[in-house]
Amino acid sequence: MEKNTCIAMIPSPGLSHLIPFVEFAKRVVQQNHNKIHVTFLIPTFGSPSSSMISILNVLPPNIDFTILPQVNIQDLPHNLNLETKITRTCKLSLPFLHEAVTSLSSLTNLVAIVFDVFSVDALDVAKKFNLLSYIFFTTGAVLLSFSLCLPMLDESGSLTDLTKTVNIPGCVVPFQVKDLPDPVLHERSNETYIHCVEMSKTLSLFDGLIVNTFTDLEGDAISALHEKHLNENSPCVYPVGPIIQTKSTGKENQWEFIEWLNKQPPKSVLYISFGSGGTLSQDQLNDSAYLIGQKEDPLNYLPSGFCDRTKRQGLVIPSWAPQVEVLGHGSIGAFLSHCGWNSILESVVHGIPMIALPLFAEQRMNAVLLTEVIKVAVRPKVDDESGLIKREEIAKVIKRIMEGDDDDDLEIHKRIKDLSDAAFVAISENGSSQRAFSSLVLKWLNI
């Protein structure tokens, strides 16, 4: 009996990368009539979280997973930043990955491996088994374009002055160096910076680059990437987005949330979320931790008396919120977001304008893209003296985006509605993202 085509996918540790990988895999198997099987091989530096397990336990029949043996945490220095910790974990998992791919190759018709950007060190595994290799870039095309030109920027020394700007192919506005992703803001001798540059050089060695975006959202950047592929023989680029969750996996707060939202007038609610790991500084909000620790009661992070003062006007959920359902609810008028790419795409798909409050990673870059290029968000200004965003400034931008009185604000609402419609078209039959997706899968099936 002929074996189904098998694709191995290697997400990096963390829900923000696992979720789009899972949604992408679902689309692969669901749109190809069970001709393709997907296996996740997942590196980890700790026990899987309950959220991770809840996602993996409801995978469709043609998707399975193996959580690779946990790396020895003692092999990782205690002072590593998050990006380096994830990269080191993926690298230390290479022997386990090699063993898993050996087994998978003997049991299935394995034809390709799809890597996360943090697991590029595993490229040699694909080469050894003569498999096609792809990067699934879970962020946007502008960041991918930046990553591809990073080695050149490094050689030119363009990133050493935070007050300068750099031009990125396919983006109509220059980016201030200080707004670039965190890893490239380290000293050039720093391990995180060095790996980021080396990772960018490695991108050209893959057979293809899959990116979670669509033409109407980042058309200029996608065109620049296609042009680079044709003129410089760089990997083929497949814009297949928007790939988002269609429903939230956690159900614990869903009914409380939705019941409260049902009582609110249309477009009257501001939804605020800083993602799975984002927090504000102690001065900005009474808290200074990020993926370091957690108080027993998350509400203790809020200013004293906050819940009592706001209980007649708002609702605070202390753990996971069903974000997809919330953003799709008619009472939501705007989204105050940390500008993570998953949240951006979910907001765009549901036609919700944003208030950009970036915190870390590539989020400052995303905020510039949202406010100055795509123009579907507003961003509060930082006070020059304190370095904080004053409450009056936050109130100002909230009022602006919720009430939308002037022409610029009305244009934001119109543009996000148009992008929402375009997102649906992109992944529908004959849409731009669906065509890119189909060409990629056809390549896998014809091997």
Side-chain angles (χ1 to χ4, degrees):
M1 183 176 178
E2 186 178 352
K3 298 176 182 177
N4 280 0
T5 297
C6 181
I7 309 297
M9 295 191 181
I10 309 174
S12 63
L15 285 181
S16 63
H17 286 240
L18 176 64
I19 288 173
F21 261 85
V22 167
E23 296 303 320
F24 175 59
K26 288 179 182 177
R27 188 183 295 183
V28 169
V29 300
Q30 290 169 355
Q31 295 190 18
N32 290 279
H33 309 291
N34 296 324
K35 295 178 181 178
I36 294 182
H37 188 97
V38 173
T39 294
F40 283 105
L41 305 174
I42 306 173
T44 178
F45 52 72
S47 300
S49 67
S50 58
S51 299
M52 177 180 176
I53 294 300
S54 68
I55 291 171
L56 296 175
N57 281 345
V58 294
L59 292 173
N62 267 33
I63 304 176
D64 59 25
F65 67 93
T66 296
I67 297 178
L68 300 178
Q70 182 178 333
V71 302
N72 187 351
I73 201 71
Q74 302 303 320
D75 293 338
L76 300 174
H78 296 297
N79 60 346
L80 286 181
N81 61 42
L82 183 63
E83 293 91 348
T84 305
K85 188 174 184 180
I86 291 174
T87 301
R88 290 268 199 100
T89 297
C90 292
K91 193 165 187 175
L92 288 169
S93 298
L94 284 177
F96 308 131
L97 177 63
H98 186 279
E99 183 179 346
V101 172
T102 300
S103 175
L104 201 57
S105 297
S106 67
L107 299 172
T108 69
N109 179 28
L110 183 62
V111 300
I113 300 181
V114 180
F115 298 86
D116 183 84
V117 71
F118 287 105
S119 59
V120 296
D121 286 325
L123 175 61
D124 286 344
V125 175
K127 301 297 184 185
K128 181 172 182 178
F129 287 87
N130 197 30
L131 302 171
L132 291 175
S133 58
Y134 298 83
I135 288 285
F136 180 30
F137 219 76
T138 57
T139 51
V142 167
L143 184 59
L144 174 55
S145 183
F146 167 72
S147 297
L148 288 170
C149 67
L150 176 57
M152 178 189 67
L153 294 172
D154 173 60
E155 291 179 6
S156 68
S158 301
L159 306 178
T160 57
D161 188 343
L162 297 182
T163 66
K164 300 294 185 182
T165 61
V166 296
N167 292 303
I168 298 173
C171 193
V172 296
V173 301
F175 285 84
Q176 290 187 307
V177 172
K178 67 179 182 179
D179 283 332
L180 296 177
D182 287 344
V184 302
L185 301 184
H186 291 283
E187 294 290 334
R188 298 180 76 181
S189 59
N190 182 276
E191 177 184 349
T192 302
Y193 179 89
I194 293 171
H195 181 269
C196 191
V197 175
E198 291 304 312
M199 177 276 293
S200 295
K201 293 177 180 177
T202 308
L203 292 178
S204 63
L205 304 178
F206 285 81
D207 293 300
L209 304 173
I210 308 163
V211 59
N212 192 6
T213 192
F214 60 102
T215 301
D216 285 87
L217 185 66
E218 296 186 279
D220 291 339
I222 291 171
S223 295
L225 291 168
H226 285 321
E227 185 176 341
K228 185 176 182 67
H229 164 63
L230 293 174
N231 296 338
E232 302 179 25
N233 199 31
S234 65
C236 185
V237 174
Y238 301 90
V240 298
I243 295 172
I244 65 169
Q245 285 185 302
T246 55
K247 59 182 179 179
S248 301
T249 53
K251 302 293 184 182
E252 64 224 70
N253 301 310
Q254 182 165 330
W255 297 117
E256 178 186 4
F257 228 107
I258 300 304
E259 183 180 356
W260 186 85
L261 289 173
N262 287 341
K263 298 176 182 178
Q264 311 309 315
K267 303 295 182 184
S268 67
V269 177
L270 172 68
Y271 173 57
I272 303 173
S273 174
F274 297 111
S276 59
T279 63
L280 302 176
S281 70
Q282 185 171 5
D283 287 335
Q284 188 71 59
L285 183 62
N286 203 27
D287 150 39
S288 59
Y290 165 60
L291 289 178
I292 297 173
Q294 188 171 358
K295 299 178 183 179
E296 290 185 8
D297 183 359
L299 297 183
N300 288 336
Y301 282 121
L302 297 171
S304 177
F306 178 85
C307 291
D308 288 336
R309 293 195 303 273
T310 61
K311 63 183 178 181
R312 296 184 184 277
Q313 296 174 284
L315 178 67
V316 179
I317 295 295
S319 55
W320 286 94
Q323 181 161 297
V324 176
E325 288 80 3
V326 171
L327 290 173
H329 197 279
S331 67
I332 300 298
F335 180 13
L336 195 159
S337 173
H338 65 310
C339 301
W341 194 250
N342 290 335
S343 290
I344 288 172
L345 289 181
E346 289 169 0
S347 201
V348 166
V349 166
H350 291 99
I352 304 298
M354 285 163 273
I355 297 171
L357 201 68
L359 301 177
F360 55 88
E362 86 291 352
Q363 293 164 11
R364 293 180 300 275
M365 199 170 179
N366 290 341
V368 173
L369 182 68
L370 288 173
T371 56
E372 298 184 31
V373 182
I374 307 173
K375 298 181 179 179
V376 293
V378 295
R379 186 176 181 181
K381 295 178 181 178
V382 176
D383 181 70
D384 291 335
E385 292 185 9
S386 66
L388 302 176
I389 301 172
K390 297 291 189 179
R391 66 179 64 188
E392 296 82 7
E393 176 66 13
I394 294 175
K396 176 182 173 182
V397 296
I398 290 174
K399 183 176 180 180
R400 176 183 169 189
I401 202 71
M402 294 295 288
E403 297 181 0
D405 290 334
D406 63 31
D407 290 343
D408 288 342
D409 302 335
L410 292 173
E411 184 64 22
I412 287 175
H413 286 263
K414 180 180 183 302
R415 284 182 62 80
I416 196 71
K417 174 61 170 64
D418 290 344
L419 279 176
S420 176
D421 295 338
F424 176 79
V425 172
I427 58 175
S428 62
E429 187 175 2
N430 296 321
S432 59
S433 293
Q434 181 60 31
R435 292 196 303 271
F437 173 83
S438 297
S439 67
L440 172 65
V441 174
L442 187 63
K443 187 177 183 67
W444 293 341
L445 289 171
N446 287 338
I447 295 175

